[in-house]
Amino acid sequence: MSESWIVGINPVEGALSNDASRVREVLVEQGQRNARVQELATRAKALNIPVHHRPREQLDRLAGEARHQGVAARYEAPPMGGENDLPGLLEKAGQEALVLVLDGVTDPHNLGACLRSAAAARVTAVVVPKDRAVGLTPVVRRASAGGADRVPLIAATNLARALRTLKDAGVWITGLAGDTDTSVYGIDLRGPVALVLGSEGEGMRRLTRETCDFVAKIPMPGAMESLNVSVATGIVLFEALRQRSEKR
């Protein structure tokens, strides 16, 4: 486990709501009058978490490039899950299993936005390669708006092996790529499903793509050739939810 600083109202609120036992202290900017920040301080005190008022400059240093909004929390982050955690998560989700696989997303803002969408879509787990992902940095947590604390994040030592684990559990895998004629809207995304999106520049790696059961694209009639990975993630996740909400 490692300690890091979570900054911003939504990330701190997410940590207090979902994993308060790992919050070691909360810092509030001196003179801060934002009602939500004051509410977070009150909640932290009720949970016996120390609350300290500090100059804005100290929070600026902790936040770096992130926007702290007058509040920060020192958080003892648990290790990310591993491939061995997948079977249990899939068994618990059953026929509603919906897994998001991100093959090498390295931009922290993109990963955070993907986690936010995953949490909103009640995704079973988000799987990333252990050595080709940005990890749960403070910027990722800030961009996830609390999503990082609401969805299991699995760091796979071998992504192809993790995909085979999904297939062995009865999960159908659809990868997203632009160079195919198959529309994602024509794929059945009901039942246990995994959706795979590649990195910002290179897309899915060859072995990842070969492991997929289907490869589909998001149709784009406009002039752009591709979408930001976090935007594409939101589209395909909620297409899956739309299909699942319809009667068979």
Side-chain angles (χ1 to χ4, degrees), residues 56-236:
R56 180 182 181 87
E57 292 75 14
Q58 183 172 344
L59 273 72
D60 287 343
R61 288 194 298 271
L62 291 174
E65 297 180 359
R67 189 161 147 263
H68 57 71
Q69 300 175 293
V71 64
R74 184 161 57 88
Y75 179 76
E76 187 180 86
M80 291 191 291
E83 297 160 54
N84 293 336
D85 297 310
L86 276 175
L89 292 169
L90 295 172
E91 182 178 2
K92 183 178 180 180
Q95 290 298 304
E96 298 301 314
L98 178 59
V99 178
L100 175 64
V101 181
L102 301 172
D103 186 13
V105 173
T106 56
D107 182 278
H109 295 94
N110 279 338
L111 180 57
C114 289
L115 290 172
R116 182 174 186 171
S117 294
R122 289 193 300 179
V123 161
T124 304
V126 176
V127 181
V128 299
K130 184 176 181 180
D131 298 325
R132 297 185 76 247
V134 67
L136 279 179
T137 67
V139 176
V140 170
R141 288 189 174 278
R142 176 76 176 84
S144 78
D149 300 302
R150 293 180 170 92
V151 60
L153 183 60
I154 303 296
T157 304
N158 185 312
L159 189 61
R161 184 174 62 206
L163 292 175
R164 288 193 291 271
T165 297
L166 293 175
K167 297 179 83 165
D168 290 343
V171 176
W172 291 90
I173 301 174
T174 296
L176 273 289
D179 57 345
T180 178
D181 294 328
T182 303
S183 167
V184 70
Y185 303 122
I187 300 289
D188 188 349
L189 299 177
R190 295 170 297 182
V193 164
L195 299 167
V196 185
L197 290 94
S199 64
E200 295 90 342
E202 301 176 2
M204 288 186 293
R205 288 175 291 174
R206 179 186 58 81
L207 189 56
T208 301
R209 180 167 179 154
E210 290 176 353
T211 310
C212 294
D213 297 299
F214 309 101
V215 177
K217 68 179 179 181
I218 299 172
M220 289 182 288
M224 298 303 294
E225 296 181 357
S226 63
L227 295 171
N228 176 280
V229 64
S230 64
V231 173
T233 293
I235 290 172
V236 297

Side-chain angles (χ1 to χ4, degrees), residues 37-52:
V37 172
Q38 293 176 351
E39 180 185 348
L40 291 177
T42 300
R43 189 190 305 182
K45 291 176 182 177
L47 293 167
N48 295 318
I49 298 171
V51 176
H52 307 289

